[in-house]
């Protein structure tokens, strides 16, 4: 029944009532939208599918039986109008125009019995239109949902004279190295010459350090070093501290920037031993 | 000794975000002994207290929050009228596709909407914490996959995704030979020549 409407494109200047009165029992809102009337909406379209759906639904056409020739003509009219208005025309619109033309040309081909298995050339377009329409309509529903800042208003009590708690600065490796340099400097003041070799093991030094920091108390970083030792001994102690930190056995904290660094046991010593 | 109920109320009023019972319990219990049951009981008591007031305790995805009852929206609308952000149709469509098809890539969104995804829309959605990247699809280019967040549900006053409106079924799927239904292939549609121009 739609086919009759389509046989000749309805001119914009033709009186609508006559055309509609002849074709349809119930009066549709409008059959053909003159491109000029659409001018205001043009930038409101969210893409070619949106525009196509608008053209189809507005004219009460059956999405499943789109009069491709007519729709293509209207579509191209709007595309041209967009061009005239120098609206930036997204490539997608042109791609859709090409797709419509392709469908139209396929439909013009005679249908042979042998290839009747082939789908309607419009099938893919219809599938995409219907799929898009689902999301478009649900997005309108979601848009109507109550939402914060528009329909839901949240409480926002001020917190008075709330003060941020002091956050202890994180200790970076450079801070530790600088602290260690101080230790080395101090050690130099006590340096004497030693010639005895003593075997130094980081592992052993780690347990020694753990022995020093028993319980919950903080121990000064500097106090972990035996200043009577040679430089190499101090280095081994430092390595042992880094190793212990890595194994999350000790915690190194600084109460304020550039303050004294303290070391504390993180786990019960027994679990290490 | 401050009553747990009063602590819960003050926390919900001033936190600026919804708080779960677990979170409330953890915070309160870190300073004074209290059980999760105490917290839940306090919330129920507060709900009773608010019966006669124009505020309410409301549960959303991220937890409880105190909000104005909709009965005084007429007044609040005056204050907020100009501050209410507006979201474009394009944004709502993009959001809807993410909601119902998550996890999705930009490509998925593009193929449904038929237009390229606007970067500014994706940025707005990400900045508002409504969507987040949940992984990368194992196809060439490793595109990011997006899903919605609890903050999205909070914003729309929801607790679960299932409370959202149902995605409508495809309209008028019968009497047309869509390739969605391969069994109907043999009665293939032929196009009457009078439909062609």
């Amino acid at each position: 029944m739609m086919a009759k409407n389509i046989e000749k494109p309805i001119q914009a200047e033709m009186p609508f009532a006559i055309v509609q009165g002849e074709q349809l029992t119930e009066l549709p809102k409008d059959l053909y939208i003159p491109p000029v009337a659409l001018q205001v909406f043009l930038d409101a379209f969210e893409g070619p599918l949106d525009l196509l759906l608008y053209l189809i639904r507005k004219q009460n056409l059956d999405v499943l039986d789109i009069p491709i020739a007519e729709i293509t003509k209207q579509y191209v009219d709007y595309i041209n109008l967009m061009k005239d208005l120098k609206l930036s025309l997204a490539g997608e619109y042109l791609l859709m125009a090409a797709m419509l033309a392709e469908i139209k040309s396929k439909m013009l081909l005679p249908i042979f019995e042998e290839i009747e298995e082939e789908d309607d050339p419009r099938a893919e377009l219809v599938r995409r239109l219907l799929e898009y329409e689902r999301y478009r309509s649900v997005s309108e529903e979601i848009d109507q949902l109550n939402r914060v800042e528009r329909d839901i208003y949240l409480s926002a009590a001020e917190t008075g004279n709330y003060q941020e708690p002091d956050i202890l600065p994180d200790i970076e490796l450079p801070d530790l190295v600088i602290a260690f340099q101080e230790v080395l400097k101090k050690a130099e003041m006590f340096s004497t010459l030693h010639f005895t070799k003593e075997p130094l093991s980081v592992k052993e030094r780690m347990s020694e350090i753990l022995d020093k920091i028993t319980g919950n108390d903080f121990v000064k970083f500097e106090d972990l070093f035996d200043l009577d030792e040679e430089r190499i001994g101090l280095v081994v102690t430092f390595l042992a501290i880094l190793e212990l930190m890595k194994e999350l056995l000790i915690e190194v904290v600084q109460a304020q920037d550039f303050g004294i660094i303290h070391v504390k046991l993180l786990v019960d010593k027994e679990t290490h031993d | 000794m401050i009553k747990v109920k009063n602590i819960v109320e003050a926390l919900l009023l001033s936190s600026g975000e919804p708080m779960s019972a677990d979170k409330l319990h953890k915070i309160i219990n870190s300073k004074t002994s209290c059980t999760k049951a105490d917290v839940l009981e306090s919330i129920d008591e507060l709900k009773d207290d608010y019966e006669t007031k124009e505020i309410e305790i409301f549960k959303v995805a991220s937890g409880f929050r105190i909000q104005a009852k909709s009965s005084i929206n007429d007044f609040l609308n005056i204050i907020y009228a100009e501050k209410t952000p507006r979201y474009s149709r394009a944004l709502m469509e993009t959001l809807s596709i993410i909601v119902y098809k998550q996890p999705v890539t930009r490509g998925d969104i593009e193929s449904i909407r038929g237009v390229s995804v606007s970067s500014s829309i994706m940025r707005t959605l990400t900045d508002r914490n409504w969507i987040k990247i949940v992984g990368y699809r194992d196809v060439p280019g490793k595109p990011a996959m997006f899903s919605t967040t609890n903050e999205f549900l909070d914003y729309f006053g929801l607790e679960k995704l299932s409370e959202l409106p149902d995605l409508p079924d495809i309209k008028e799927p019968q009497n047309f030979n869509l390739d969605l239904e391969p069994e109907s292939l043999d009665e293939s549609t032929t196009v009457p020549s009078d439909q062609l121009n």
Side-chain angles (χ1 to χ4, degrees):
Chain A
M1 357 100 233
M2 283 300 167
K4 282 186 187 158
N5 287 346
I6 294 131
E7 277 172 3
K8 57 175 181 305
I10 299 134
Q11 306 291 299
E13 54 273 16
M14 277 179 74
F16 282 125
I18 299 169
V19 180
Q20 289 169 347
E22 282 176 1
Q23 306 294 335
L24 296 159
T25 48
E26 60 183 64
L27 202 70
K29 287 279 180 288
D30 50 291
L31 270 179
Y32 180 81
I33 313 103
V36 271
L38 253 183
Q39 214 159 310
V40 271
F41 304 124
L42 272 179
D43 55 348
F45 286 114
E46 296 300 345
L49 291 173
D50 197 25
L51 173 55
L52 268 182
L53 267 180
Y54 178 83
L55 293 175
I56 293 167
R57 293 286 183 214
K58 199 76 181 168
Q59 297 170 85
N60 282 323
L61 300 176
D62 185 358
V63 187
L64 300 180
D65 196 11
I66 310 170
I68 284 291
E70 175 60 12
I71 283 294
T72 307
K73 185 189 163 293
Q74 292 185 13
Y75 183 86
V76 172
D77 281 348
Y78 298 127
I79 299 292
N80 287 335
L81 181 67
M82 285 198 205
K83 271 191 193 152
D84 292 346
L85 293 171
K86 305 249 186 306
L87 290 176
S88 56
L89 194 58
E92 295 97 359
Y93 282 98
L94 298 174
L95 184 68
M96 178 59 75
M99 190 178 166
L100 286 170
E102 189 199 1
I103 294 172
K104 187 182 159 193
S105 61
K106 272 189 187 165
M107 291 181 68
L108 285 171
L109 293 174
I111 297 155
F112 298 108
E113 287 301 305
E114 307 88 75
I115 57 159
E116 79 177 331
E117 301 290 295
E118 207 163 281
D119 288 327
D120 188 312
R122 299 171 296 184
E124 171 63 14
L125 177 64
V126 169
R127 192 195 59 75
R128 291 187 58 193
L129 282 171
L130 291 175
E131 179 77 351
Y132 170 67
E133 195 175 36
R134 295 169 82 197
Y135 290 97
R136 197 182 68 171
S137 77
V138 83
S139 79
E140 284 161 10
E141 282 184 69
I142 291 183
D143 201 32
Q144 294 306 311
L145 291 178
N146 285 347
R147 62 165 95 133
V148 173
E149 295 175 293
R150 191 184 68 186
D151 320 283
I152 303 171
Y153 300 101
L154 306 182
S155 62
E158 292 296 327
T159 44
N161 49 6
Y162 169 76
Q163 288 205 322
E164 290 269 336
D166 291 337
I167 294 165
L168 300 179
D170 283 342
I171 298 189
E172 304 279 338
L173 187 60
D175 299 331
L176 266 188
V177 173
I178 288 167
F180 177 58
Q181 272 174 347
E182 313 256 294
V183 175
L184 284 182
K185 248 187 234 163
K186 249 186 206 170
E188 264 169 36
M189 297 174 195
F190 294 89
S191 66
T192 47
L193 283 174
H194 291 275
F195 292 97
T196 44
K197 277 188 180 176
E198 54 175 300
L200 289 164
S201 136
V202 177
K203 277 245 161 14
E204 200 182 322
R205 191 55 56 93
M206 282 162 69
S207 349
E208 284 173 27
I209 291 172
L210 286 173
D211 279 332
K212 271 191 197 172
I213 43 174
T214 45
N216 251 348
D217 293 334
F218 283 100
V219 176
K220 270 200 207 162
F221 175 75
E222 292 172 18
D223 290 349
L224 294 176
F225 295 89
D226 183 1
L227 295 180
D228 292 327
E229 277 193 297
E230 275 179 275
R231 196 181 172 93
I232 182 76
L234 299 172
V235 170
V236 168
T237 306
F238 188 59
L239 285 178
I241 292 172
L242 292 179
E243 201 63 33
L244 287 168
M245 284 172 72
K246 202 175 97 188
E247 292 187 27
L248 295 174
L249 290 167
I250 59 167
E251 185 185 20
V252 183
V253 291
Q254 193 174 28
Q256 68 213 53
D257 277 327
F258 312 111
I260 299 167
I261 294 173
H262 285 94
V263 180
K264 187 184 170 237
L265 210 55
L266 251 187
V267 291
D268 284 338
K269 202 173 141 281
E270 292 89 279
T271 58
H272 181 71
D273 287 344
Chain B
M1 182 79 171
I2 315 170
K3 279 170 71 181
V4 171
K5 183 176 103 176
N6 291 341
I7 303 174
V8 168
E9 183 180 40
L11 285 174
L12 290 181
L13 278 171
S14 4
S15 62
E17 58 184 30
M19 286 182 141
S20 66
D22 282 331
K23 193 170 178 186
L24 287 164
H25 171 235
K26 203 175 155 198
I27 292 171
I28 301 170
N29 199 42
S30 71
K31 300 289 176 192
T32 170
S33 95
C34 119
T35 65
K36 195 180 158 189
D38 293 339
V39 171
L40 289 170
E41 198 182 314
S42 305
I43 287 170
D44 283 339
E45 284 174 33
L46 286 169
K47 278 181 182 166
D48 290 344
D49 292 357
Y50 294 165
E51 282 290 317
T52 55
K53 300 187 181 178
E54 292 306 334
I55 52 172
E56 63 184 343
I57 292 202
F58 197 81
K59 191 161 186 243
V60 289
S62 305
F64 299 94
R65 70 183 178 203
I66 296 177
Q67 61 187 46
K69 285 184 186 167
S70 56
S71 44
I72 55 154
N73 273 9
D74 283 350
F75 302 95
L76 285 160
N77 288 340
I78 300 170
I79 310 174
Y80 283 92
E82 279 162 22
K83 296 184 203 159
T84 305
R86 291 178 195 288
Y87 298 104
S88 65
R89 262 183 64 201
L91 183 137
M92 293 310 294
E93 285 182 18
T94 306
L95 179 62
S96 301
I97 293 169
I98 299 172
V99 166
Y100 291 93
K101 278 193 89 92
Q102 54 186 309
V104 288
T105 64
R106 290 172 79 111
D108 298 335
I109 302 169
E110 282 172 10
S111 73
I112 292 177
R113 296 194 62 234
V115 280
S116 54
V117 171
S118 141
S119 298
S120 73
I121 285 178
M122 294 305 276
R123 201 178 322 118
T124 305
L125 292 173
T126 314
D127 287 351
R128 298 234 52 166
N129 276 333
W130 290 354
I131 61 166
K132 60 170 187 248
I133 294 176
V134 287
Y136 296 88
R137 189 167 291 165
D138 199 10
V139 293
K142 298 257 181 264
M145 294 190 292
F146 296 90
S147 285
T148 54
T149 61
N150 278 348
E151 281 90 338
F152 156 74
L153 291 171
D154 295 347
Y155 194 81
F156 287 89
L158 304 170
E159 222 187 307
K160 298 184 285 290
L161 277 172
S162 57
E163 294 171 35
L164 282 160
D166 287 337
L167 183 64
D169 290 334
I170 289 188
K171 283 181 198 161
E172 316 159 59
Q174 71 283 18
N175 77 30
F176 193 81
N177 180 21
L178 292 176
D179 37 1
L180 307 170
E181 298 159 17
E183 70 277 3
S184 65
L185 268 181
D186 25 14
E187 33 185 283
S188 159
T189 322
T190 51
V191 185
S193 54
D194 65 344
Q195 284 195 8
L196 301 172
N197 257 22

